[in-house]
Amino acid sequence: MIDLADPKQPTRFSLRRRVALLAAACVAGAVALASIGAYYTVKENLYQQLDDNLRARADNAVQSPTVNAGIESIPGAFLSSIDIQIGQLSITSNPSGQLTYPRAGTPPAWGSSELAVAQGSREESIRTDQRTDSRVIALPSGHGSAMVLAQSLASTKRTLNELSVVLLLIGGAGILLAAAAGTAVARGSLAPVERLTQATERVARTGDLTPIPVSGDDELARLTTSFNTMLGTVSESQERQRQLVADAGHELRTPLTSLRTNLELLLSASRPGARTLPDGDRAEIEADIRGQLDELTQLIGDLVELARQDEPYAQFERVEFADVVERALDRARRRAGEIDFAVSLQPWVLSGDSSALERAVLNLLDNAVKFSPPGSSVQVRLFPVGDGTAVLEVADAGPGIADEDLPKVFDRFYRSSEARTLPGSGLGLAIVKHAAERHGGAVYAARSPEGGALMTLRLPGTPG
């Protein structure tokens, strides 16, 4: 578990700092590669120029005529070699090699490579002598001798050192500029993310679901829009929950108050010395208590059903809707009394939750039975309409629905003036509407041709 108050724990970099460091690292890598490439390219060119210059001067020295200097003859090139070290290596008088060089100068370094050129076993020798830190070249000059030239690498290395300093300074400046640019870009680009973070922290701290202002049309703006949509959905869900709790409390208050009054009356009559209730009054109170308990049971069951339907479905299954309607009809007939059902069902298949659909159909049937007079018939029809949907029509022979009540019959806890004297919780048709919408359908209320109520449930699917 991380202890935020522990100063010994490492501090994580912010996203802005990581973006700046990433930009600096990328530029550092690019500058390093470019600098290394430039350095070695210049180095190879300098060494190649040095070798070409030495080779050209060695060729000229080999071809230069000899001149007499006192009692000996020396190559003419000795007289014009003040900036390099030059000498002639000969094996004529000494098989181990004897070097002749200008007396006022410094002899060039020589070894087995140069001796091999003088012996004729090699056509050329060019190398770097580590002892004298110089570049040495040897070319055969005929008659068992070789012309040896050497030039110091000090100036070349000094040039390379200056180049490395320049590249280092330029690279460092580029890295600093990249870090600054990365910081500026990160600050501007991550401003919407910071606003989004502050909004989430505000929601977690205060529960305030106020939307965040959206600016621009990039990915961050789309993210902010999606977050605002989520906030709107959460706000709507909270409002529905508050309304449901308020409505449920209002609906529960009346039966609980009546139930408490009846129970207190029975308890008062059972106390010693109290007036005994007549048998008829006691029976009426007990019947009221049973009715009120049934009403509470139905209301609680409907509330549980609504809460269950608010949960997301893990996976829908293939549903034969005609079979669902048949099962609901079997349950409705057992409590319909003298009410008959005229049924016409055509096969229809959809993807959904069969138990939720059966509860919705049963609520429609129970609603029709409740408003139908004894001996009447409830018309039940299921048929496709040709647009990829099928409709289930449930028509009763009751008094119908008033025009002002038609838009409200599917609202939670709404009960028309005619229905307030009948048993029910006011949630049955709301459950039907919820189930229809969860399955991509809709439900409508209208008047039947016979004058009663006509409930239409429309659901997408395919013919069975």
Side-chain angles (χ1 to χ4, degrees), residues 11-56:
T11 303
R12 298 187 64 181
F13 284 146
S14 64
L15 182 58
R16 179 187 302 175
R17 186 174 298 178
R18 278 181 281 174
V19 170
L21 289 177
L22 178 61
C26 292
V27 172
V31 168
L33 291 176
S35 299
I36 291 174
Y39 179 83
Y40 280 100
T41 299
V42 172
K43 179 181 178 181
E44 291 296 326
N45 288 335
L46 289 178
Y47 273 82
Q48 186 63 43
Q49 291 177 7
L50 180 63
D51 291 346
D52 293 342
N53 180 57
L54 278 177
R55 185 176 288 104

mmCIF file of all heavy atoms in Angstrom, residues 11-56:
data_model
loop_
_atom_site.group_PDB
_atom_site.id
_atom_site.type_symbol
_atom_site.label_atom_id
_atom_site.label_comp_id
_atom_site.label_asym_id
_atom_site.label_seq_id
_atom_site.Cartn_x
_atom_site.Cartn_y
_atom_site.Cartn_z
ATOM 1 N N THR A 11 8.948 9.986 -6.216
ATOM 2 C CA THR A 11 7.888 10.796 -6.795
ATOM 3 C C THR A 11 7.767 10.483 -8.285
ATOM 4 O O THR A 11 8.752 10.516 -9.016
ATOM 5 C CB THR A 11 8.199 12.291 -6.606
ATOM 6 O OG1 THR A 11 8.364 12.558 -5.214
ATOM 7 C CG2 THR A 11 7.072 13.136 -7.175
ATOM 8 N N ARG A 12 6.547 10.188 -8.721
ATOM 9 C CA ARG A 12 6.319 9.876 -10.122
ATOM 10 C C ARG A 12 6.254 11.163 -10.930
ATOM 11 O O ARG A 12 5.724 12.167 -10.493
ATOM 12 C CB ARG A 12 5.029 9.082 -10.284
ATOM 13 C CG ARG A 12 5.048 7.736 -9.576
ATOM 14 C CD ARG A 12 3.825 6.936 -9.911
ATOM 15 N NE ARG A 12 3.810 6.622 -11.319
ATOM 16 C CZ ARG A 12 2.838 5.940 -11.911
ATOM 17 N NH1 ARG A 12 1.800 5.522 -11.201
ATOM 18 N NH2 ARG A 12 2.870 5.692 -13.200
ATOM 19 N N PHE A 13 6.830 11.106 -12.135
ATOM 20 C CA PHE A 13 6.809 12.263 -13.016
ATOM 21 C C PHE A 13 5.395 12.507 -13.505
ATOM 22 O O PHE A 13 4.642 11.578 -13.781
ATOM 23 C CB PHE A 13 7.737 12.039 -14.217
ATOM 24 C CG PHE A 13 9.196 12.188 -13.865
ATOM 25 C CD1 PHE A 13 10.148 11.408 -14.491
ATOM 26 C CD2 PHE A 13 9.592 13.108 -12.922
ATOM 27 C CE1 PHE A 13 11.481 11.545 -14.182
ATOM 28 C CE2 PHE A 13 10.929 13.262 -12.611
ATOM 29 C CZ PHE A 13 11.872 12.476 -13.236
ATOM 30 N N SER A 14 5.051 13.778 -13.658
ATOM 31 C CA SER A 14 3.768 14.123 -14.251
ATOM 32 C C SER A 14 3.824 13.864 -15.749
ATOM 33 O O SER A 14 4.897 13.709 -16.350
ATOM 34 C CB SER A 14 3.437 15.592 -13.988
ATOM 35 O OG SER A 14 4.396 16.423 -14.628
ATOM 36 N N LEU A 15 2.640 13.816 -16.369
ATOM 37 C CA LEU A 15 2.575 13.572 -17.810
ATOM 38 C C LEU A 15 3.259 14.691 -18.570
ATOM 39 O O LEU A 15 3.937 14.446 -19.572
ATOM 40 C CB LEU A 15 1.110 13.437 -18.240
ATOM 41 C CG LEU A 15 0.882 13.126 -19.720
ATOM 42 C CD1 LEU A 15 1.587 11.842 -20.112
ATOM 43 C CD2 LEU A 15 -0.600 13.047 -20.019
ATOM 44 N N ARG A 16 3.102 15.928 -18.102
ATOM 45 C CA ARG A 16 3.749 17.053 -18.779
ATOM 46 C C ARG A 16 5.259 16.898 -18.740
ATOM 47 O O ARG A 16 5.947 17.100 -19.756
ATOM 48 C CB ARG A 16 3.330 18.353 -18.106
ATOM 49 C CG ARG A 16 3.965 19.587 -18.719
ATOM 50 C CD ARG A 16 3.649 20.823 -17.900
ATOM 51 N NE ARG A 16 2.208 21.022 -17.784
ATOM 52 C CZ ARG A 16 1.664 21.965 -17.044
ATOM 53 N NH1 ARG A 16 2.419 22.782 -16.350
ATOM 54 N NH2 ARG A 16 0.345 22.088 -16.980
ATOM 55 N N ARG A 17 5.809 16.530 -17.579
ATOM 56 C CA ARG A 17 7.259 16.362 -17.478
ATOM 57 C C ARG A 17 7.742 15.190 -18.317
ATOM 58 O O ARG A 17 8.800 15.244 -18.933
ATOM 59 C CB ARG A 17 7.633 16.164 -16.006
ATOM 60 C CG ARG A 17 9.145 16.113 -15.761
ATOM 61 C CD ARG A 17 9.445 16.077 -14.282
ATOM 62 N NE ARG A 17 8.963 17.290 -13.616
ATOM 63 C CZ ARG A 17 9.075 17.478 -12.316
ATOM 64 N NH1 ARG A 17 9.638 16.557 -11.546
ATOM 65 N NH2 ARG A 17 8.627 18.591 -11.769
ATOM 66 N N ARG A 18 6.928 14.140 -18.366
ATOM 67 C CA ARG A 18 7.327 12.996 -19.188
ATOM 68 C C ARG A 18 7.335 13.347 -20.666
ATOM 69 O O ARG A 18 8.198 12.894 -21.425
ATOM 70 C CB ARG A 18 6.379 11.818 -18.924
ATOM 71 C CG ARG A 18 6.740 11.036 -17.667
ATOM 72 C CD ARG A 18 5.808 9.869 -17.459
ATOM 73 N NE ARG A 18 4.541 10.308 -16.888
ATOM 74 C CZ ARG A 18 3.505 9.524 -16.705
ATOM 75 N NH1 ARG A 18 3.559 8.272 -17.098
ATOM 76 N NH2 ARG A 18 2.397 9.984 -16.155
ATOM 77 N N VAL A 19 6.374 14.168 -21.114
ATOM 78 C CA VAL A 19 6.371 14.600 -22.514
ATOM 79 C C VAL A 19 7.613 15.427 -22.814
ATOM 80 O O VAL A 19 8.262 15.250 -23.854
ATOM 81 C CB VAL A 19 5.085 15.394 -22.814
ATOM 82 C CG1 VAL A 19 5.176 16.054 -24.186
ATOM 83 C CG2 VAL A 19 3.871 14.478 -22.754
ATOM 84 N N ALA A 20 7.953 16.348 -21.900
ATOM 85 C CA ALA A 20 9.151 17.167 -22.098
ATOM 86 C C ALA A 20 10.415 16.306 -22.132
ATOM 87 O O ALA A 20 11.291 16.496 -22.986
ATOM 88 C CB ALA A 20 9.249 18.221 -20.996
ATOM 89 N N LEU A 21 10.503 15.355 -21.205
ATOM 90 C CA LEU A 21 11.668 14.463 -21.194
ATOM 91 C C LEU A 21 11.716 13.599 -22.435
ATOM 92 O O LEU A 21 12.800 13.326 -22.977
ATOM 93 C CB LEU A 21 11.623 13.594 -19.936
ATOM 94 C CG LEU A 21 11.894 14.313 -18.601
ATOM 95 C CD1 LEU A 21 11.752 13.334 -17.443
ATOM 96 C CD2 LEU A 21 13.290 14.935 -18.601
ATOM 97 N N LEU A 22 10.552 13.160 -22.910
ATOM 98 C CA LEU A 22 10.538 12.351 -24.132
ATOM 99 C C LEU A 22 11.022 13.157 -25.321
ATOM 100 O O LEU A 22 11.808 12.657 -26.141
ATOM 101 C CB LEU A 22 9.116 11.838 -24.372
ATOM 102 C CG LEU A 22 8.922 11.003 -25.642
ATOM 103 C CD1 LEU A 22 9.781 9.750 -25.590
ATOM 104 C CD2 LEU A 22 7.455 10.634 -25.823
ATOM 105 N N ALA A 23 10.542 14.414 -25.439
ATOM 106 C CA ALA A 23 11.003 15.255 -26.542
ATOM 107 C C ALA A 23 12.506 15.485 -26.453
ATOM 108 O O ALA A 23 13.224 15.396 -27.463
ATOM 109 C CB ALA A 23 10.253 16.590 -26.520
ATOM 110 N N ALA A 24 12.991 15.767 -25.232
ATOM 111 C CA ALA A 24 14.424 15.984 -25.060
ATOM 112 C C ALA A 24 15.215 14.718 -25.381
ATOM 113 O O ALA A 24 16.276 14.776 -26.018
ATOM 114 C CB ALA A 24 14.709 16.448 -23.637
ATOM 115 N N ALA A 25 14.704 13.566 -24.963
ATOM 116 C CA ALA A 25 15.411 12.308 -25.238
ATOM 117 C C ALA A 25 15.449 12.013 -26.726
ATOM 118 O O ALA A 25 16.473 11.550 -27.257
ATOM 119 C CB ALA A 25 14.727 11.166 -24.477
ATOM 120 N N CYS A 26 14.340 12.273 -27.425
ATOM 121 C CA CYS A 26 14.322 12.034 -28.871
ATOM 122 C C CYS A 26 15.314 12.942 -29.584
ATOM 123 O O CYS A 26 16.074 12.493 -30.461
ATOM 124 C CB CYS A 26 12.907 12.251 -29.412
ATOM 125 S SG CYS A 26 11.700 11.019 -28.870
ATOM 126 N N VAL A 27 15.296 14.221 -29.206
ATOM 127 C CA VAL A 27 16.248 15.149 -29.831
ATOM 128 C C VAL A 27 17.679 14.774 -29.460
ATOM 129 O O VAL A 27 18.592 14.834 -30.299
ATOM 130 C CB VAL A 27 15.931 16.597 -29.412
ATOM 131 C CG1 VAL A 27 17.014 17.551 -29.891
ATOM 132 C CG2 VAL A 27 14.588 17.017 -29.982
ATOM 133 N N ALA A 28 17.892 14.368 -28.196
ATOM 134 C CA ALA A 28 19.237 13.965 -27.785
ATOM 135 C C ALA A 28 19.718 12.768 -28.600
ATOM 136 O O ALA A 28 20.874 12.722 -29.045
ATOM 137 C CB ALA A 28 19.235 13.632 -26.290
ATOM 138 N N GLY A 29 18.839 11.813 -28.806
ATOM 139 C CA GLY A 29 19.223 10.662 -29.615
ATOM 140 C C GLY A 29 19.550 11.050 -31.048
ATOM 141 O O GLY A 29 20.552 10.589 -31.624
ATOM 142 N N ALA A 30 18.681 11.917 -31.638
ATOM 143 C CA ALA A 30 18.921 12.345 -33.017
ATOM 144 C C ALA A 30 20.215 13.157 -33.117
ATOM 145 O O ALA A 30 21.022 12.967 -34.048
ATOM 146 C CB ALA A 30 17.727 13.163 -33.515
ATOM 147 N N VAL A 31 20.423 14.073 -32.154
ATOM 148 C CA VAL A 31 21.649 14.895 -32.171
ATOM 149 C C VAL A 31 22.883 14.024 -31.973
ATOM 150 O O VAL A 31 23.921 14.229 -32.626
ATOM 151 C CB VAL A 31 21.561 15.993 -31.091
ATOM 152 C CG1 VAL A 31 22.913 16.668 -30.887
ATOM 153 C CG2 VAL A 31 20.511 17.023 -31.473
ATOM 154 N N ALA A 32 22.777 13.040 -31.079
ATOM 155 C CA ALA A 32 23.927 12.161 -30.844
ATOM 156 C C ALA A 32 24.288 11.380 -32.100
ATOM 157 O O ALA A 32 25.472 11.286 -32.480
ATOM 158 C CB ALA A 32 23.627 11.213 -29.683
ATOM 159 N N LEU A 33 23.283 10.832 -32.762
ATOM 160 C CA LEU A 33 23.556 10.081 -33.993
ATOM 161 C C LEU A 33 24.141 10.989 -35.065
ATOM 162 O O LEU A 33 25.113 10.625 -35.744
ATOM 163 C CB LEU A 33 22.266 9.423 -34.495
ATOM 164 C CG LEU A 33 21.718 8.270 -33.644
ATOM 165 C CD1 LEU A 33 20.386 7.786 -34.208
ATOM 166 C CD2 LEU A 33 22.716 7.118 -33.604
ATOM 167 N N ALA A 34 23.534 12.190 -35.217
ATOM 168 C CA ALA A 34 24.046 13.116 -36.232
ATOM 169 C C ALA A 34 25.468 13.569 -35.898
ATOM 170 O O ALA A 34 26.325 13.663 -36.780
ATOM 171 C CB ALA A 34 23.110 14.322 -36.345
ATOM 172 N N SER A 35 25.719 13.847 -34.622
ATOM 173 C CA SER A 35 27.058 14.315 -34.223
ATOM 174 C C SER A 35 28.107 13.224 -34.415
ATOM 175 O O SER A 35 29.210 13.496 -34.915
ATOM 176 C CB SER A 35 27.029 14.774 -32.759
ATOM 177 O OG SER A 35 26.130 15.844 -32.582
ATOM 178 N N ILE A 36 27.760 12.015 -34.011
ATOM 179 C CA ILE A 36 28.725 10.912 -34.195
ATOM 180 C C ILE A 36 29.001 10.689 -35.675
ATOM 181 O O ILE A 36 30.150 10.502 -36.100
ATOM 182 C CB ILE A 36 28.174 9.638 -33.537
ATOM 183 C CG1 ILE A 36 28.156 9.800 -32.012
ATOM 184 C CG2 ILE A 36 29.017 8.428 -33.920
ATOM 185 C CD1 ILE A 36 27.491 8.659 -31.286
ATOM 186 N N GLY A 37 27.924 10.727 -36.474
ATOM 187 C CA GLY A 37 28.121 10.551 -37.921
ATOM 188 C C GLY A 37 28.977 11.654 -38.508
ATOM 189 O O GLY A 37 29.885 11.399 -39.329
ATOM 190 N N ALA A 38 28.687 12.911 -38.102
ATOM 191 C CA ALA A 38 29.471 14.035 -38.626
ATOM 192 C C ALA A 38 30.920 13.952 -38.172
ATOM 193 O O ALA A 38 31.852 14.199 -38.964
ATOM 194 C CB ALA A 38 28.845 15.363 -38.165
ATOM 195 N N TYR A 39 31.132 13.602 -36.910
ATOM 196 C CA TYR A 39 32.499 13.532 -36.383
ATOM 197 C C TYR A 39 33.332 12.498 -37.145
ATOM 198 O O TYR A 39 34.457 12.789 -37.582
ATOM 199 C CB TYR A 39 32.450 13.195 -34.899
ATOM 200 C CG TYR A 39 33.809 13.066 -34.253
ATOM 201 C CD1 TYR A 39 34.502 14.184 -33.815
ATOM 202 C CD2 TYR A 39 34.409 11.817 -34.092
ATOM 203 C CE1 TYR A 39 35.761 14.073 -33.238
ATOM 204 C CE2 TYR A 39 35.664 11.693 -33.529
ATOM 205 C CZ TYR A 39 36.330 12.822 -33.094
ATOM 206 O OH TYR A 39 37.572 12.704 -32.533
ATOM 207 N N TYR A 40 32.778 11.299 -37.302
ATOM 208 C CA TYR A 40 33.568 10.257 -37.958
ATOM 209 C C TYR A 40 33.706 10.516 -39.449
ATOM 210 O O TYR A 40 34.710 10.131 -40.069
ATOM 211 C CB TYR A 40 32.943 8.887 -37.703
ATOM 212 C CG TYR A 40 33.307 8.353 -36.333
ATOM 213 C CD1 TYR A 40 32.440 8.448 -35.273
ATOM 214 C CD2 TYR A 40 34.558 7.765 -36.121
ATOM 215 C CE1 TYR A 40 32.787 7.976 -34.007
ATOM 216 C CE2 TYR A 40 34.919 7.286 -34.871
ATOM 217 C CZ TYR A 40 34.029 7.388 -33.818
ATOM 218 O OH TYR A 40 34.386 6.920 -32.572
ATOM 219 N N THR A 41 32.726 11.189 -40.054
ATOM 220 C CA THR A 41 32.867 11.542 -41.466
ATOM 221 C C THR A 41 34.000 12.546 -41.661
ATOM 222 O O THR A 41 34.852 12.398 -42.558
ATOM 223 C CB THR A 41 31.547 12.118 -41.997
ATOM 224 O OG1 THR A 41 30.512 11.141 -41.871
ATOM 225 C CG2 THR A 41 31.684 12.516 -43.461
ATOM 226 N N VAL A 42 34.012 13.578 -40.811
ATOM 227 C CA VAL A 42 35.091 14.576 -40.901
ATOM 228 C C VAL A 42 36.439 13.937 -40.585
ATOM 229 O O VAL A 42 37.457 14.240 -41.241
ATOM 230 C CB VAL A 42 34.795 15.750 -39.942
ATOM 231 C CG1 VAL A 42 35.990 16.708 -39.875
ATOM 232 C CG2 VAL A 42 33.544 16.492 -40.389
ATOM 233 N N LYS A 43 36.434 13.047 -39.591
ATOM 234 C CA LYS A 43 37.703 12.390 -39.236
ATOM 235 C C LYS A 43 38.256 11.583 -40.399
ATOM 236 O O LYS A 43 39.452 11.662 -40.726
ATOM 237 C CB LYS A 43 37.476 11.494 -38.022
ATOM 238 C CG LYS A 43 38.729 10.738 -37.583
ATOM 239 C CD LYS A 43 38.440 9.851 -36.380
ATOM 240 C CE LYS A 43 39.677 9.066 -35.961
ATOM 241 N NZ LYS A 43 39.398 8.192 -34.802
ATOM 242 N N GLU A 44 37.385 10.813 -41.048
ATOM 243 C CA GLU A 44 37.848 10.015 -42.187
ATOM 244 C C GLU A 44 38.335 10.908 -43.321
ATOM 245 O O GLU A 44 39.355 10.609 -43.972
ATOM 246 C CB GLU A 44 36.715 9.107 -42.679
ATOM 247 C CG GLU A 44 36.344 7.993 -41.724
ATOM 248 C CD GLU A 44 37.498 7.019 -41.543
ATOM 249 O OE1 GLU A 44 38.250 6.786 -42.521
ATOM 250 O OE2 GLU A 44 37.665 6.509 -40.410
ATOM 251 N N ASN A 45 37.614 12.017 -43.544
ATOM 252 C CA ASN A 45 38.040 12.922 -44.617
ATOM 253 C C ASN A 45 39.384 13.567 -44.301
ATOM 254 O O ASN A 45 40.256 13.703 -45.186
ATOM 255 C CB ASN A 45 36.987 14.010 -44.825
ATOM 256 C CG ASN A 45 35.721 13.476 -45.489
ATOM 257 O OD1 ASN A 45 35.775 12.468 -46.191
ATOM 258 N ND2 ASN A 45 34.589 14.138 -45.274
ATOM 259 N N LEU A 46 39.585 13.990 -43.049
ATOM 260 C CA LEU A 46 40.870 14.601 -42.686
ATOM 261 C C LEU A 46 42.019 13.612 -42.831
ATOM 262 O O LEU A 46 43.094 13.962 -43.371
ATOM 263 C CB LEU A 46 40.796 15.134 -41.251
ATOM 264 C CG LEU A 46 39.928 16.379 -41.036
ATOM 265 C CD1 LEU A 46 39.909 16.760 -39.552
ATOM 266 C CD2 LEU A 46 40.452 17.560 -41.865
ATOM 267 N N TYR A 47 41.787 12.405 -42.357
ATOM 268 C CA TYR A 47 42.855 11.403 -42.479
ATOM 269 C C TYR A 47 43.101 11.045 -43.943
ATOM 270 O O TYR A 47 44.250 10.801 -44.358
ATOM 271 C CB TYR A 47 42.499 10.154 -41.674
ATOM 272 C CG TYR A 47 42.922 10.228 -40.230
ATOM 273 C CD1 TYR A 47 42.146 10.889 -39.286
ATOM 274 C CD2 TYR A 47 44.110 9.648 -39.807
ATOM 275 C CE1 TYR A 47 42.526 10.977 -37.963
ATOM 276 C CE2 TYR A 47 44.509 9.725 -38.474
ATOM 277 C CZ TYR A 47 43.713 10.399 -37.556
ATOM 278 O OH TYR A 47 44.117 10.491 -36.251
ATOM 279 N N GLN A 48 42.002 11.010 -44.739
ATOM 280 C CA GLN A 48 42.188 10.695 -46.152
ATOM 281 C C GLN A 48 42.954 11.801 -46.863
ATOM 282 O O GLN A 48 43.837 11.543 -47.692
ATOM 283 C CB GLN A 48 40.805 10.480 -46.806
ATOM 284 C CG GLN A 48 40.884 9.999 -48.253
ATOM 285 C CD GLN A 48 41.542 8.632 -48.377
ATOM 286 O OE1 GLN A 48 41.258 7.738 -47.579
ATOM 287 N NE2 GLN A 48 42.442 8.485 -49.357
ATOM 288 N N GLN A 49 42.619 13.066 -46.528
ATOM 289 C CA GLN A 49 43.362 14.180 -47.115
ATOM 290 C C GLN A 49 44.837 14.149 -46.706
ATOM 291 O O GLN A 49 45.735 14.417 -47.512
ATOM 292 C CB GLN A 49 42.731 15.515 -46.681
ATOM 293 C CG GLN A 49 41.361 15.769 -47.290
ATOM 294 C CD GLN A 49 40.738 17.053 -46.779
ATOM 295 O OE1 GLN A 49 41.393 17.824 -46.061
ATOM 296 N NE2 GLN A 49 39.478 17.297 -47.148
ATOM 297 N N LEU A 50 45.073 13.816 -45.424
ATOM 298 C CA LEU A 50 46.459 13.715 -44.961
ATOM 299 C C LEU A 50 47.209 12.622 -45.708
ATOM 300 O O LEU A 50 48.358 12.824 -46.149
ATOM 301 C CB LEU A 50 46.468 13.446 -43.457
ATOM 302 C CG LEU A 50 47.839 13.308 -42.798
ATOM 303 C CD1 LEU A 50 48.629 14.606 -42.908
ATOM 304 C CD2 LEU A 50 47.688 12.902 -41.337
ATOM 305 N N ASP A 51 46.549 11.456 -45.896
ATOM 306 C CA ASP A 51 47.212 10.364 -46.622
ATOM 307 C C ASP A 51 47.455 10.732 -48.077
ATOM 308 O O ASP A 51 48.538 10.435 -48.642
ATOM 309 C CB ASP A 51 46.353 9.098 -46.547
ATOM 310 C CG ASP A 51 46.306 8.513 -45.147
ATOM 311 O OD1 ASP A 51 47.130 8.928 -44.312
ATOM 312 O OD2 ASP A 51 45.431 7.650 -44.871
ATOM 313 N N ASP A 52 46.458 11.389 -48.703
ATOM 314 C CA ASP A 52 46.643 11.774 -50.107
ATOM 315 C C ASP A 52 47.780 12.791 -50.249
ATOM 316 O O ASP A 52 48.569 12.719 -51.213
ATOM 317 C CB ASP A 52 45.338 12.373 -50.661
ATOM 318 C CG ASP A 52 44.224 11.344 -50.766
ATOM 319 O OD1 ASP A 52 44.529 10.139 -50.747
ATOM 320 O OD2 ASP A 52 43.033 11.746 -50.859
ATOM 321 N N ASN A 53 47.853 13.724 -49.301
ATOM 322 C CA ASN A 53 48.927 14.719 -49.362
ATOM 323 C C ASN A 53 50.295 14.060 -49.172
ATOM 324 O O ASN A 53 51.261 14.372 -49.894
ATOM 325 C CB ASN A 53 48.695 15.783 -48.291
ATOM 326 C CG ASN A 53 49.765 16.858 -48.301
ATOM 327 O OD1 ASN A 53 49.983 17.516 -49.318
ATOM 328 N ND2 ASN A 53 50.430 17.035 -47.156
ATOM 329 N N LEU A 54 50.361 13.132 -48.186
ATOM 330 C CA LEU A 54 51.632 12.431 -47.977
ATOM 331 C C LEU A 54 52.008 11.583 -49.187
ATOM 332 O O LEU A 54 53.195 11.538 -49.590
ATOM 333 C CB LEU A 54 51.534 11.546 -46.725
ATOM 334 C CG LEU A 54 51.753 12.226 -45.380
ATOM 335 C CD1 LEU A 54 51.538 11.227 -44.246
ATOM 336 C CD2 LEU A 54 53.167 12.813 -45.299
ATOM 337 N N ARG A 55 51.027 10.931 -49.802
ATOM 338 C CA ARG A 55 51.328 10.085 -50.961
ATOM 339 C C ARG A 55 51.823 10.938 -52.129
ATOM 340 O O ARG A 55 52.777 10.553 -52.845
ATOM 341 C CB ARG A 55 50.085 9.285 -51.339
ATOM 342 C CG ARG A 55 50.355 8.282 -52.486
ATOM 343 C CD ARG A 55 49.139 7.423 -52.774
ATOM 344 N NE ARG A 55 48.912 6.463 -51.712
ATOM 345 C CZ ARG A 55 47.962 6.569 -50.783
ATOM 346 N NH1 ARG A 55 47.163 7.622 -50.785
ATOM 347 N NH2 ARG A 55 47.828 5.644 -49.857
ATOM 348 N N ALA A 56 51.196 12.084 -52.336
ATOM 349 C CA ALA A 56 51.622 12.951 -53.442
ATOM 350 C C ALA A 56 53.041 13.478 -53.189
ATOM 351 O O ALA A 56 53.879 13.509 -54.115
ATOM 352 C CB ALA A 56 50.639 14.110 -53.589
#
